[in-house]
Amino acid sequence: MKFGSGAMTNSVAEIAENKAIFVIGSNTTENHPIIALRMKEAVANGAELIVADPRKIPLVKFATLWLRHRPGTDATLLNSIMNVILAEGLEDKKFIDERTEGYEDFVKSIEPFTPEYGAEITGVAADDIVKAGRIFGSAENAGIYYAMGITQHSMGTNNVCAVGNLAMVTGNIGKYASGVNPLRGQNNVQGACDMGGLPNVYPGYQKVDVPANQEKFEKGWGKSLSAKVGLAATEMTGAMLDGSLKGMYIFGENPALSDPNTTHSVKAFKSLEFLVVQDLFMTDTAQLADVVLPGASFAEKDGTFTSSERRVQRVRKAVNSPGEAKTDLAIIDQIYKRIDGEGDLGKTVEASDVFDEAVSFWPAMAGMSYRRLEADSLQWPCPTEDHAGTRFLFEETFNRENGKALFTAVPFVASKELPDKEYPFVLTTGRELFHYHTGTMTRRSSGLNTVAPEAFVEVNPADAEVLGVGDGQRLTVSSRRGSIRLKARVSNIVPPNVIFIPFHYKEAAANLLTSDAMDPVCKIMEAKVCAVKIEV
Amino acid sequence: MINLTIDDKQIEVDEGTTVLEAAKELGVPIPTLCHDDRLKPFGACRLCIVEIAGMPKPVTSCTTPATDGMVVKTVSEKLHRLRKTTVELLLSDHPNDCMVCISSGECKLQELAYLYGIRENRFTGEMRDHNKIDTNPFITREQNKCVMCGLCVRVCEEVQGVGAIGYAERGFEARVTPPFGQNLDCEFCGQCVSICPTGALSGGIWAGKPRGDSVKFTDTTCTYCGCGCNITLRSSGDEVVRVDSDKDNHNRGWLCVKGRFGFEFINSKDRLTTPLIRREKGGQFEKATWEEALDYVAGRFTEIKDKNGADAVAGLCSARCTNEENYLFQKLMRAGIGTNNVDHCARY
Amino acid sequence: MNSKVTVNVCMGTGGIAAGGDMVMAEFIKELEAAGIEDASVNEKCRLHKVGCRGFCARDVLVDVAIDGEVSTYQYIQQDMVKRLVREHVVGARPVKEWLVGDDYHTFHDNQTKIVLGDLGKIDPESIDEYMGVDGYKAAEKALTTMTPTEVIDTVKESGLRGRGGGGFPTGLKWGFCAANTADQFYLICNADEGDPGAFMDRSVIEGNPHAVIEGMIIAAYAIGASIGYVYIRAEYPLAVDRLHMALDSAKEKGYLGKKLFGTDFDLKIKVKLGAGAFVCGEETALIASIEGERGMPRAKPPFPANKGLWGKPTIINNVETLANLPHILTKGAAWYASIGSEKSKGTKVIALTGKIRNTGLIEIPMGMPLKEIIFNVGGGIEGDKLFKAVQTGGPSGGCIPQQHIDLPVDYEGLASVGSMMGSGGMVVLDETDCMVNISKFFLEFTQSESCGKCVPCRIGTKRLLEILTRITEGEGKEGDIDLLLELAEDVRDSSLCGLGMSAPNPVISTIKYFRHEYEAHIKDKKCPAKVCNKLLTFFIREDMCIGCGMCARACSVKAITGEKKQPHKIDNKLCIQCGSCFDACKFSAVLKE
Ligand SMILES: Cc1cc2nc3c(=O)[nH]c(=O)nc-3n(C[C@H](O)[C@H](O)[C@H](O)COP(=O)(O)O)c2cc1C
Ligand code: SF4
Ligand code: SF4
Ligand code: FES
C-alpha cells in the first residue's frame, strides 16, 4: 500500500468532526452501524456527506450528494472527481510538495478523466461530479470511508489507490479528522492481518521473503522457516483441485459459503486428502471435513480483537463452553505441540503469554500488554510502555523508505465480467443489517431470523415490469457458474439493470453465482460485480 | 470561562456548560430522569430543578446554561417538596409491579420512589390504559410503565437518525408511539431500550431471564463487525442472558441490532460439543475424545508434510477469532508445519 | 330626491349567519324599486362575527346614512328591509323601534380604539383603502428616517408590552434580540390564538391585515430580520385568505421583498398554518412546530430572542402587539404612553363574554376599572342576576370576585389579585355559576391541551381535575382543599411552560375567594349555585306539571312515574341526579335544590 498500512488512518470518533465525508463502496449504516452514527453526528454538526453507491443505501438519506455510479466504475468516478479538484485549483499544494511523490505522472494520468468522460463511464451526471469535487476539495478536513464495495473487485487495488490519491491530492491524510479509512468487515480482520494471517507476511506485515525478517522469526521461534510466499486463500482452490494442496486446517471460517464461485470451491475441498474444520457449528465447510473440532465462542474466551481503527481491545471469558468444546487457542496450541513433538501437553496456554510473544515481534504493538489493556483499549502504533497509542497515522511521515506518500496513476479498467445479451444483469452482493457473513451466528438468533428470515434479490421496478415479476415472487438467478432461486424484492434501492443479493443465506447462496476472478495484487475476489440472468 | 457557585462550592466551567454538568463536575448530585448527557437537554421530568439567585422560580438545571456569577442551590425544602410531588405524580400513574418487572433494580423511577420514601400516594387516580404489552422480535413495550421522558424518541432521532418513534395525543393521554413491528424504519438497534429509565422498553429475549444477584457482568468486545464496540455480557451460569454497553466507552453505549440482540447463538442447541472424526472418505462422523482427535490431526498433517512437503498443507485462520489465536495459528503453519500457506477468508 | 344615501350591511361571518346577504339583496331590490338611483349599498363589515363593531349579537346590523347622518339598526332581517326603505330612505323617518339603543352607544363610546380603529371602516381586501388611512406610512418612516436602534427606543418609550399574554415590554425584548450577532434573525407573528373564546387576533387579521404586515415590517427592521413568519391557525380560513391576499398586494407594491422603500432592507414573510393545539401558541412550541416537530415547548433559557427558530435569534410577537406599531411610529411614543395606566400603556382588546348584556369584542385603555368594563361597556349583568366574579386571562387565568370590582384592568392590577391579562378574555359570572364547577371547567381544557411533555402538567393537572370532579360529585374528602392547593402550587412552580404554570390559576383563585363554596360541596354535600347535579335533589312541582310525560321519557333509570295529564313524581331513591328531566321539562316544573 502506498502509505504502508492497510488500516483506518484515523479514528472513528474523529468522524464527527469531519467537515466533509466521502463514503464509497460502504453501506455503512448496515455494515458498520456504529461508525455510521458518527457520520450522522457529523452531518448534524454541519458536515457535507457525499455517498457514492449504485444502491440507494440508507446513508443516502443523510447525504448532501449521492453519486449513483455504475457498479465497477469506482476508480473512474474518483479520477474524474480529482480531475475537477485539479481543474479548479482545489489541490493542497503544500502537502503535495512536502509529503508526496509521483505527482506529475499522476496529474497526467488524471487529464483524460474530465467530468464528461467520468459521466459517460460511471453514469453520474457531470454536474454532480463537479459538485463532489468542490465539496471534497474545499473542505477544511475531509475523510474517505470505504469497504468491500471498493475492494471486492478485480481492480480493487486500483480503487484503493484512487482513494489514496484523492486523500493525498487534497492533503487529507496525516491530519486530525480526515484520512483514508477502510472499514473492516469482520470484527478482527484487522487483527488477523496484523498477526500474520497472510501468506506473504509475518506478524506486523514483515515480508516472509525478506531474509532479515526470516532470520528474526527463525530466531524467535527457534525453527527454520520457509522463504516462499504462501498461497492466498483464493489460490488455494486451484491448488486443491490440481492436487498440490492435500491437507487443510480451517478455523472459524465458512469458505464453502463465503467464497466466490462456491460450486468450484466445494469441489476443491472435497478433493483434499485431509480437511480439519474447527468451528462453533456444523457449517457447510465442516460437513466436508475429515475432522471437526468444537471451538469456543467469543463469550467463552480470553484474548484481544483489533477493530478497524487499530484499537486493540480485550475479549473476556464470561461463560464456559458447552460440552467439551475448547477455546481455539487451546486447540491450536495442542496441535502445535503434537506436531512439533515438544512442549508440555499438560500445560494450558495463556492468552496473555501468546499476546506478549506476538507483540514482541512487532514494534507497533510492543508497548501493549494485558495489564495496560485492562484499564483501556489502545490504538497501534504503541511502541513503548509509556506510549498512549495513536489516534491517527502519518502525522509526520509515511511508512515508506523516504517517508513520502506515493501517487499511483490509476487507469480505467473494466470489470472482468460485464453483462451481455445472455446475462444482461449486473449482480452485486453484500450484507444486510440483520445478518452477519454466512449467518452461522445471526441466523441462530431468534429475533434476527424473524425479521430477516430468507434470502431475497433486489430488482428495480423498471426491470421487474419488463420481466413481469411482482414483489415477493420467486425467481431464478443464474450466472455462468450456477443458479439459485429466491424471492424478488422490487425496490428502487437498486438502479435498473443491477440486482443485489445478500450473501448470508445458504439456501440461496449468492456466492454460487459470483465470479472467482481475482485482483492480481491483493487477490481478493470480485464479489461485487458479475453478470447474471433472471428467469421467472 | 465561567465561575459559578453551587451549594456554596465554587467552580469554573466552559461557556455552554449547563448547571447540571457543572454540578456533576463538582460531585453535587441532582436527581434526573429525562436526562442523558449523550443527548440534547429536554427538560421534561422537572426533577433536576434548582434555585438560582435572581430567578423567580426554580429552573431545570439540565437545560439552564451556567452564567458567570450564578449562585445555585440544589437542596431546599421547596425543591424537595416539588421533586417529591413529581415523583409521587409519576408513581400515581405507574403500575406497582416492580416485583415482576424486568427493570427492577435498574429502574430510575424505583430508585426515586425509594429516595423520596414514597409509600403512600396522595394522588392516586386514574391510570393510563395502555396496559397492553406489545412486542416485536426484539423489543417489548409496556407502555403503562412509560414516564414520557422522551429519551427513546430522542435517541432514535438524534443518534440513530431514524425517527421511528414520536409522540401522539395530548394531556394525560399523551404517549410515545413506537410503531414497533409495523414500521419498516425501525432498525431494532435497541438504543431506545438501552436508554429507557424504566421497564417500559426491554429486550424481548431478556424476558424471564435472571436479573438479580446471580447475574455476572463481563466486559468484552463485540464479535460482529469491525466497529469494535465494547459490550457487557450478562450471564447466569453458562447462559448469556443479556448484552448491554456502558455509556462511557468509545462507542458511547450504542450498539446495533446484531451486537445487542444477536447473542443467542452462544447458547444455541446446535453448538458442536465433541470432536468428530470421519475416518474414511464418504464415511460418517464419529464422536471422539480430544486426545484421539488431536493426535489424529497432528498425525495426518505430519504424514502429508513428510510425504508431499510442507507446502501441501495450508491453513485458513479467522477474522473472527482473537489476535492470540491467529498468531498461534500462523505460527503453527509457519514454524510447526513449515509453510507460509496461511490466509484468512475476508481480505477486508 | 337629491340627498346622498349609503346603506351598510354587516356581512361578516356573523352578519352572514344572521342573514346579511339576504338583507343586502333586499336593499338593492327595494332601493331600485323605490327609484333611488344614487344610493350605494356596501357590505361594509365583511368581517367575521363581531368584526367591525364587536357587537355581532345584534346582527344583522345596518347603517343607513343620509347626507352623513348615520342611524344604526339592529336585528334586521330580510322582511324588515321594505319598511326601512319606505320610511327611512324615502320618508326620511327613521324606524325608531328598530334602532340600536343606548347600550349600543355606551358600548362604543366607552372604548378607545387604536387597533380596532380602522376595522370596519376600510376594506381589508384593498391595500389602497389601507393606504387611504395613511397605511404603510409608519413603516416608510421607520425604514427611511430611523435607525433600527431608534425604532427600538421609540417602542421602549411607548411602553408597549406584549399582548400575547406575558406582557413583556416589547422594545426591551427587541433590544435583547438585536444585541446578538448572527447571520440570520427571524420575526414571527403569533396568530395562533388558541384560547377558547378569544378572537381578537382573528378579527384584526380579517379586518385589517395590512396593519399587522406593516407592524411586522417595523419589527423586522428593528431587529434585522429578513425572514418573517405568520403562524396562524388553520381553523381561521377567512383570516388566512385575507392574509395571503394582503401579503400578495404588499409584495406587488414593493412593501415586501427586496429593498423596501428604496433602502437595503429585505423582508420575506411566510405563512405557516398551525395545527390547532393550544400549546402551539407558546413561543417555544410554536418554534418547534415551524421547525416541523411536534409542538412541544422547550426550556427557557435560552430564550428565543437569543436562540430561537433554527437556533437563530428570533422575536415572536402577538398580532395585537404588532398592529399597535404603525400607530406608535406615526403618532409617537409620547402619545401612546399617554394612554393607559402607569405601567401598562395603550389599550387592550378584550373579548367580553359570559353573563353580560353586551357580549363582544372591545378595546379599552389599560387601567379601566373592572366595574366600568362590566357595567358601562358591557351593559351590566344579563337578566338582572347578581354579579359574582369575572374570569380574566382565558382558561388559565383567575377569578376575580365582587370585592375587587374597582380593580384597574392592566397587567399589574390583574396580577395583584391572582389573575392575569392573558390574551384578553373576560368571562362574567353571575350567582348561578358554581365556582368549583367553573374551575373544573377551565381545568378540563388545560388538562386536555397539555402537551404531555412535563410531569407536573401532564399528570398534575389530571389529578387536580380528578379531585375537583370528585368534589362536584359529592365525593369530596376532608383535606381535599389543602391537597388541591398544594398540588396546584407545585404544578405552577415546577411546570416547564406557561400552560402548566398557569393552568392551576383557576383553582388557586377560586379557592382563595370562594373557599366556602368548596367547603359546602365537601362538608355539606351542597352546591350553593345549584349547578352540580350530583349534589342536588330533583323534584316536580305539582302545580306546574301538566303531565306531558317528557321528563319520564328522558329519565334513563325510570325514576319518574305519573299518569298522563297528571302531575308526575320523582323517586329520589332511584334518581341518579343526571339532570335530564330538568332539561326536558318545557314548563319549568322540575326543580332542584
Ligand atoms: C400555553 C400558551 C399559549 C399561548 N398562546 C398564545 C397565542 O395563542 N397567541 C399569542 O400571541 N401568544 C400566546 N402565548 C404567549 C407566547 O408564548 C408569547 O409570549 C407571545 O406570543 C409573545 O408575543 P408578545 O410579546 O407580543 O406578547 C401563549 C403562551 C402559552 C404559555
Ligand atoms: S418508553 Fe421509556 S424512554 Fe421512552 S419516553 Fe417512555 S419511559 Fe422514556
Ligand atoms: S407545562 Fe404542560 S404544556 Fe407546558 S411543556 Fe409541560 S406538559 Fe407541555
Ligand atoms: S433531568 Fe432536567 S428536566 Fe428531566
Side-chain angles (χ1 to χ4, degrees):
Chain A
M1 199 139 297
K2 301 146 309 162
F3 320 121
S5 166
M8 276 180 83
T9 60
N10 289 56
S11 296
V12 174
E14 292 167 37
I15 299 173
E17 289 167 64
N18 281 1
K19 298 287 182 305
I21 296 178
F22 190 8
V23 176
I24 179 162
S26 158
N27 182 359
T28 323
T29 13
E30 296 195 63
N31 296 339
H32 297 93
I34 303 305
I35 291 177
L37 297 186
R38 294 287 188 179
M39 294 179 176
K40 294 172 191 170
E41 192 182 341
V43 170
N45 291 342
E48 302 206 71
L49 171 66
I50 307 168
V51 173
D53 203 297
R55 292 177 70 223
K56 188 173 181 179
I57 54 173
L59 206 55
V60 168
K61 190 175 125 193
F62 302 87
T64 321
L65 186 63
W66 172 35
L67 309 173
R68 180 175 236 178
H69 60 303
R70 296 193 182 106
T73 63
D74 309 79
T76 303
L77 179 66
L78 290 162
N79 277 349
S80 53
I81 289 171
M82 287 186 272
N83 180 291
V84 174
I85 289 174
L86 293 177
E88 308 212 343
L90 299 172
E91 73 274 16
D92 185 340
K93 298 191 183 69
K94 185 159 174 281
F95 181 88
I96 295 166
D97 280 355
E98 292 171 6
R99 305 202 52 188
T100 69
E101 55 188 10
Y103 183 60
E104 274 73 50
D105 289 344
F106 160 73
V107 171
K108 228 168 277 146
S109 77
I110 289 297
E111 262 161 32
F113 291 90
T114 59
E116 292 67 32
Y117 174 76
E120 196 187 311
I121 302 285
T122 65
V124 173
D127 275 357
D128 284 344
I129 294 177
V130 172
K131 262 189 224 155
R134 288 185 186 151
I135 293 174
F136 198 85
S138 43
E140 194 181 313
N141 55 300
I144 311 169
Y145 302 84
Y146 65 94
M148 311 261 222
I150 273 277
T151 54
Q152 278 191 347
H153 287 285
S154 53
M155 63 302 214
T157 308
N158 275 344
N159 291 344
V160 174
C161 288
V163 166
N165 290 342
L166 177 59
M168 286 190 272
V169 82
T170 53
N172 276 308
I173 183 144
K175 76 176 177 196
Y176 186 73
S178 69
V180 173
N181 300 289
L183 307 179
R184 301 303 202 137
Q186 300 186 49
N187 59 322
N188 203 29
V189 189
Q190 190 64 53
C193 296
D194 294 351
M195 290 297 116
L198 294 166
N200 57 335
V201 291
Y202 294 119
Y205 307 98
Q206 310 178 62
K207 293 209 165 97
V208 296
D209 47 0
V210 172
N213 295 340
Q214 191 183 342
E215 234 169 81
K216 172 175 167 186
F217 280 91
E218 284 183 338
K219 215 170 123 207
W221 290 338
K223 301 276 158 183
S224 66
L225 301 173
S226 164
K228 194 174 141 214
V229 171
L231 297 171
T234 34
E235 291 167 324
M236 289 177 189
T237 316
M240 290 182 244
L241 289 169
D242 72 17
S244 58
L245 190 58
K246 301 198 181 305
M248 257 190 104
Y249 184 3
I250 299 174
F251 89 101
E253 292 283 2
N254 186 14
L257 207 56
S258 65
D259 268 8
N261 195 356
T262 313
T263 323
H264 198 59
S265 50
V266 168
K267 214 170 113 202
F269 288 122
K270 281 188 171 159
S271 67
L272 282 170
E273 249 173 51
F274 186 57
L275 173 63
V276 179
V277 172
Q278 181 172 320
D279 209 305
L280 304 181
F281 298 101
M282 185 56 86
T283 62
D284 298 57
T285 317
Q287 305 267 14
L288 306 170
D290 299 287
V291 176
V292 176
L293 302 174
S297 78
F298 80 114
E300 297 146 23
K301 58 193 176 193
D302 283 304
T304 55
F305 287 155
T306 306
S307 74
S308 290
E309 53 169 356
R310 299 167 276 104
R311 186 183 293 279
V312 181
Q313 311 191 91
R314 276 299 312 274
V315 176
R316 295 186 183 85
K317 178 177 169 166
V319 294
N320 293 308
S321 299
E324 291 167 40
K326 274 187 195 307
T327 70
D328 300 270
L329 196 67
I331 303 170
I332 298 163
D333 178 60
Q334 286 286 332
I335 293 175
Y336 183 68
K337 284 172 182 161
R338 278 161 215 256
I339 288 178
D340 199 36
E342 286 171 34
D344 175 3
L345 287 183
K347 197 176 157 232
T348 42
V349 60
E350 288 299 330
S352 62
D353 294 340
V354 178
F355 185 83
D356 291 343
E357 180 183 324
V359 303
S360 73
F361 288 106
W362 189 28
M365 275 175 66
M368 297 186 190
S369 63
Y370 271 32
R371 190 186 48 75
R372 288 192 72 187
L373 293 175
E374 198 55 44
D376 205 357
S377 53
L378 286 166
Q379 283 173 284
W380 62 251
C382 171
T384 55
E385 270 280 326
D386 53 7
H387 193 285
T390 307
R391 267 194 307 183
F392 64 94
L393 304 177
F394 314 132
E395 187 163 13
E396 261 129 47
T397 175
F398 291 98
N399 290 0
R400 290 179 69 248
E401 257 157 45
N402 60 1
K404 291 193 172 187
L406 176 66
F407 277 103
T408 315
V410 175
F412 169 65
V413 184
S415 293
K416 286 268 155 45
E417 189 181 88
L418 291 171
D420 52 24
K421 260 225 179 81
E422 201 186 341
Y423 295 98
F425 289 93
V426 176
L427 163 70
T428 88
T429 64
R431 298 178 178 181
E432 56 171 311
L433 172 65
F434 298 108
H435 288 300
Y436 179 68
H437 225 60
T438 59
T440 36
M441 301 190 295
T442 49
R443 297 198 71 197
R444 286 188 172 83
S445 280
S446 52
L448 296 171
N449 218 31
T450 315
V451 290
E454 59 177 338
F456 58 88
V457 48
E458 279 172 3
V459 183
N460 183 275
D463 293 334
E465 179 85 28
V466 174
L467 292 162
V469 301
D471 198 46
Q473 194 173 338
R474 289 201 160 270
L475 303 177
T476 303
V477 179
S478 337
S479 74
R480 291 185 173 82
R481 289 156 295 275
S483 82
I484 55 177
R485 252 185 103 66
L486 70 183
K487 265 191 185 168
R489 193 180 275 182
V490 177
S491 145
N492 45 26
I493 291 178
V494 282
N497 300 320
V498 175
I499 63 169
F500 168 84
I501 303 177
F503 67 89
H504 314 289
Y505 301 91
K506 68 174 182 184
E507 59 282 15
N511 282 322
L512 285 167
L513 311 177
T514 49
S515 144
D516 46 7
M518 263 191 288
D519 179 283
V521 179
C522 76
K523 313 223 158 81
I524 198 164
M525 65 193 188
E526 180 157 68
K528 286 295 162 192
V529 182
C530 77
V532 294
K533 65 179 175 198
I534 299 177
E535 288 147 319
V536 181
Chain B
M1 284 307 232
I2 285 166
N3 282 291
L4 72 159
T5 313
I6 302 177
D7 291 350
D8 302 324
K9 295 188 194 108
Q10 297 274 346
I11 184 168
E12 193 182 66
V13 294
D14 289 331
E15 183 98 21
T17 309
T18 62
V19 173
L20 181 68
E21 286 162 345
K24 199 174 162 194
E25 231 174 280
L26 266 178
V28 172
I30 297 177
T32 63
L33 184 61
C34 71
H35 185 73
D36 186 293
D37 40 24
R38 296 166 294 177
L39 302 177
K40 291 187 201 137
F42 194 50
C45 75
R46 321 303 293 168
L47 283 165
C48 69
I49 46 172
V50 294
E51 284 168 5
I52 294 177
M55 292 203 188
K57 263 185 192 195
V59 294
T60 42
S61 57
C62 67
T63 60
T64 307
T67 55
D68 209 30
M70 205 177 231
V71 179
V72 181
K73 244 167 65 178
T74 73
V75 187
S76 76
E77 223 168 279
K78 170 89 177 169
L79 291 172
H80 184 82
R81 166 176 158 178
L82 293 177
R83 288 176 187 151
K84 185 168 178 221
T85 296
T86 297
V87 177
E88 225 173 319
L89 286 171
L90 280 169
L91 290 171
S92 75
D93 187 29
H94 197 89
N96 196 358
D97 68 352
C98 297
M99 219 92 85
V100 293
C101 179
I102 192 162
S103 292
S104 183
E106 297 178 58
C107 172
K108 277 194 143 188
L109 186 61
Q110 196 183 36
E111 179 70 6
L112 286 163
Y114 160 74
L115 284 177
Y116 287 88
I118 294 160
R119 288 170 195 279
E120 273 163 48
N121 199 315
R122 290 173 292 165
F123 308 121
T124 42
E126 185 190 332
M127 310 247 251
R128 279 164 307 167
D129 185 22
H130 306 309
N131 229 316
K132 200 171 103 247
I133 297 180
D134 53 1
T135 154
N136 67 34
F138 300 101
I139 298 164
T140 297
R141 179 165 64 113
E142 295 184 57
Q143 226 185 357
N144 54 346
K145 293 183 183 169
C146 172
V147 294
M148 290 289 287
C149 65
L151 285 165
C152 54
V153 177
R154 285 179 286 146
V155 79
C156 189
E157 175 69 41
E158 285 176 35
V159 173
Q160 201 64 18
V162 173
I165 352 177
Y167 307 94
E169 311 205 26
R170 276 198 282 271
F172 191 65
E173 295 302 321
R175 64 198 159 95
V176 161
T177 55
F180 288 135
Q182 303 124 39
N183 195 311
L184 296 169
D185 278 350
C186 179
E187 293 175 357
F188 305 112
C189 61
Q191 251 64 286
C192 56
V193 171
S194 75
I195 208 168
C196 179
T198 71
L201 298 174
S202 60
I205 50 177
W206 305 347
K209 297 280 160 79
R211 59 168 192 195
D213 259 359
S214 69
V215 176
K216 186 175 104 186
F217 291 68
T218 309
D219 290 334
T220 187
T221 305
C222 178
T223 187
Y224 284 105
C225 75
C227 294
C229 296
N230 292 166
I231 58 175
T232 303
L233 296 179
R234 296 192 184 188
S235 55
S236 170
D238 283 335
E239 189 188 7
V240 175
V241 294
R242 205 189 283 195
V243 167
D244 51 32
S245 183
D246 191 33
K247 69 180 195 177
D248 299 323
N249 59 34
H250 72 84
N251 45 294
R252 297 170 297 174
W254 310 136
L255 296 175
C256 78
V257 59
K258 297 187 288 284
R260 196 182 296 283
F261 297 121
F263 59 85
E264 283 165 298
F265 76 93
I266 299 169
N267 295 104
S268 163
K269 296 222 163 21
D270 299 344
R271 284 285 297 272
L272 295 168
T273 53
T274 54
L276 300 169
I277 299 180
R278 186 187 340 244
R279 301 219 178 240
E280 269 161 67
K281 288 275 169 201
Q284 293 294 315
F285 279 124
E286 287 163 28
K287 286 188 181 171
T289 64
W290 275 110
E291 211 52 30
E292 271 177 291
L294 294 168
D295 280 340
Y296 184 65
V297 169
R300 291 288 306 265
F301 280 134
T302 313
E303 197 183 305
I304 296 174
K305 177 184 154 182
D306 290 346
K307 216 162 83 195
N308 306 92
D311 286 340
V313 179
L316 284 178
C317 61
S318 173
R320 300 180 199 179
C321 291
T322 65
N323 289 328
E324 293 74 4
E325 289 156 353
N326 281 295
Y327 171 81
L328 203 58
F329 186 82
Q330 61 88 36
K331 185 177 167 190
L332 161 68
M333 297 317 285
R334 292 193 158 110
I337 306 242
T339 179
N340 283 315
N341 287 343
V342 56
D343 201 355
H344 61 273
C345 290
R347 308 283 323 223
Y348 264 91
Chain C
M1 183 145 343
N2 40 22
S3 48
K4 181 152 171 21
V5 179
T6 308
V7 176
N8 293 331
V9 182
C10 192
M11 287 280 280
T13 309
I16 291 171
D21 47 356
M22 282 171 323
V23 171
M24 187 151 90
E26 195 69 14
F27 262 114
I28 293 168
K29 197 176 106 198
E30 288 297 330
L31 286 169
E32 224 165 73
I36 302 165
E37 273 154 27
D38 58 351
S40 73
V41 180
N42 292 336
E43 36 180 318
K44 190 67 186 177
C45 26
R46 288 182 295 182
L47 305 178
H48 201 276
K49 229 171 172 175
V50 275
C52 66
R53 324 170 189 233
F55 218 14
C56 277
R58 305 285 167 95
D59 266 321
V60 176
L61 286 163
V62 170
D63 292 328
V64 177
I66 301 178
D67 292 334
E69 185 81 5
V70 185
S71 308
T72 304
Y73 293 96
Q74 59 189 13
Y75 303 124
I76 298 306
Q77 293 299 308
Q78 186 183 8
D79 56 5
M80 298 155 82
V81 172
K82 203 179 187 128
R83 184 170 160 204
L84 280 178
V85 172
R86 200 177 60 225
E87 293 187 12
H88 190 165
V89 180
V90 181
R93 275 177 284 113
V95 186
K96 285 249 170 51
E97 63 264 41
W98 293 349
L99 282 172
V100 293
D102 284 347
D103 53 354
Y104 180 86
H105 295 289
T106 45
F107 179 77
H108 278 291
D109 299 348
N110 286 297
Q111 299 190 42
T112 304
K113 295 201 175 186
I114 298 175
V115 172
L116 301 182
D118 291 326
L119 265 77
K121 296 206 186 108
I122 59 168
D123 181 347
E125 294 180 7
S126 155
I127 192 168
D128 294 324
E129 287 203 16
Y130 182 63
M131 289 165 71
V133 293
D134 286 342
Y136 290 105
K137 288 268 160 53
E140 183 172 11
K141 178 178 164 195
L143 266 64
T144 56
T145 69
M146 297 166 80
T147 64
T149 317
E150 283 166 356
V151 176
I152 294 178
D153 289 342
T154 306
V155 174
K156 274 186 192 160
E157 283 157 29
S158 75
L160 175 66
R161 295 168 63 172
R163 301 293 191 244
F168 195 84
T170 306
L172 201 59
K173 186 157 91 173
W174 291 4
F176 292 152
C177 181
N180 290 284
T181 32
D183 53 359
Q184 179 72 52
F185 291 73
Y186 293 103
L187 172 74
I188 300 173
C189 167
N190 188 344
D192 191 51
E193 199 163 57
D195 269 16
F199 49 91
M200 26 277 183
D201 294 346
R202 184 193 61 201
S203 300
V204 171
I205 291 183
E206 284 176 356
N208 196 358
H210 287 289
V212 181
I213 296 172
E214 187 173 6
M216 285 184 76
I217 298 173
I218 295 165
Y221 175 71
I223 60 164
S226 60
I227 299 178
Y229 283 89
V230 182
Y231 188 89
I232 182 166
R233 55 175 41 212
E235 290 93 327
Y236 285 175
L238 184 65
V240 174
D241 277 357
R242 294 244 163 100
L243 180 64
H244 275 297
M245 244 182 266
L247 286 171
D248 289 345
S249 48
K251 226 178 295 167
E252 263 167 46
K253 293 261 185 209
Y255 298 155
L256 288 174
K258 299 255 174 232
K259 300 204 176 298
L260 308 193
F261 304 102
T263 66
D264 275 339
F265 183 70
D266 303 341
L267 177 64
K268 191 156 106 189
I269 295 182
K270 305 178 190 180
V271 177
K272 173 89 192 162
L273 296 188
F278 175 51
V279 74
C280 283
E282 196 282 331
E283 51 190 5
T284 57
L286 187 154
I287 286 173
S289 176
I290 294 183
E291 289 175 358
E293 291 184 22
R294 175 174 160 106
M296 265 193 178
R298 299 170 178 171
K300 297 183 279 193
F303 291 93
N306 300 317
K307 259 183 161 188
L309 187 61
W310 316 114
K312 305 289 181 193
T314 303
I315 281 295
I316 299 175
N317 275 133
N318 167 260
V319 170
E320 192 185 329
T321 314
L322 292 165
N324 270 301
L325 293 171
H327 300 279
I328 294 175
L329 283 207
T330 308
K331 296 181 202 135
W335 162 80
Y336 196 79
S338 71
I339 305 165
S341 59
E342 194 196 332
K343 287 191 178 149
S344 306
K345 300 300 182 190
T347 58
K348 179 77 193 92
V349 180
I350 282 172
L352 198 55
T353 54
K355 308 288 176 54
I356 194 160
R357 278 206 187 86
N358 305 338
T359 57
L361 202 61
I362 59 169
E363 185 173 356
I364 50 126
M366 291 277 186
M368 180 184 268
L370 205 45
K371 192 157 127 197
E372 263 179 56
I373 299 177
I374 295 169
F375 292 96
N376 292 353
V377 183
I381 308 299
E382 197 186 42
D384 294 321
K385 296 259 172 38
L386 279 179
F387 171 79
K388 185 169 191 176
V390 55
Q391 160 88 8
T392 72
S396 39
C399 285
I400 304 169
Q402 170 75 39
Q403 72 222 58
H404 291 303
I405 196 81
D406 294 319
L407 187 83
V409 172
D410 58 16
Y411 294 108
E412 286 70 32
L414 293 172
S416 73
V417 297
S419 187
M420 60 182 207
M421 182 70 84
S423 55
M426 206 173 262
V427 185
V428 178
L429 306 170
D430 69 14
E431 53 186 329
T432 64
D433 288 306
C434 164
M435 300 313 286
V436 185
N437 193 54
I438 286 287
S439 94
K440 175 175 148 236
F441 173 81
F442 286 122
L443 212 68
E444 257 161 17
F445 174 79
T446 40
Q447 199 280 318
S448 64
E449 289 293 326
S450 158
C451 80
K453 176 170 176 173
C454 69
V455 179
C457 175
R458 182 181 74 248
I459 310 178
T461 56
K462 172 77 179 177
R463 298 296 175 239
L464 285 173
L465 181 59
E466 284 172 347
I467 301 171
L468 287 170
T469 306
R470 76 175 176 239
I471 294 176
T472 59
E473 288 178 353
E475 312 281 329
K477 292 190 280 234
E478 188 74 44
D480 269 356
I481 300 177
D482 293 330
L483 187 61
L484 270 178
L485 266 183
E486 275 172 46
L487 180 54
E489 285 167 15
D490 291 352
V491 171
R492 179 191 66 194
D493 293 344
S494 59
S495 287
L496 190 162
C497 85
L499 193 153
M501 292 180 200
S502 57
N505 280 347
V507 182
I508 298 174
S509 69
T510 52
I511 294 183
K512 180 169 175 191
Y513 297 116
F514 301 96
R515 195 177 181 110
H516 52 277
E517 280 194 34
Y518 281 82
E519 280 165 354
H521 283 74
I522 296 170
K523 294 199 184 118
D524 314 338
K525 306 288 175 207
K526 286 247 147 55
C527 174
K530 296 185 187 147
V531 172
C532 302
N533 284 342
K534 286 271 145 60
L535 295 173
L536 298 173
T537 322
F538 287 78
F539 59 91
I540 294 170
R541 262 177 77 163
E542 278 186 31
D543 54 338
M544 305 278 286
C545 178
I546 62 154
C548 69
M550 289 296 277
C551 56
R553 255 166 275 149
C555 181
S556 62
V557 293
K558 303 211 173 345
I560 304 178
T561 48
E563 296 290 307
K564 249 201 158 126
K565 305 225 168 118
Q566 295 299 315
H568 282 46
K569 238 186 150 63
I570 299 178
D571 181 345
N572 287 104
K573 281 201 219 63
L574 294 176
C575 173
I576 53 161
Q577 296 104 349
C578 68
S580 304
C581 54
F582 184 85
D583 298 334
C585 181
K586 293 206 174 74
F587 305 95
S588 308
V590 179
L591 296 187
K592 46 187 183 180
E593 273 278 328

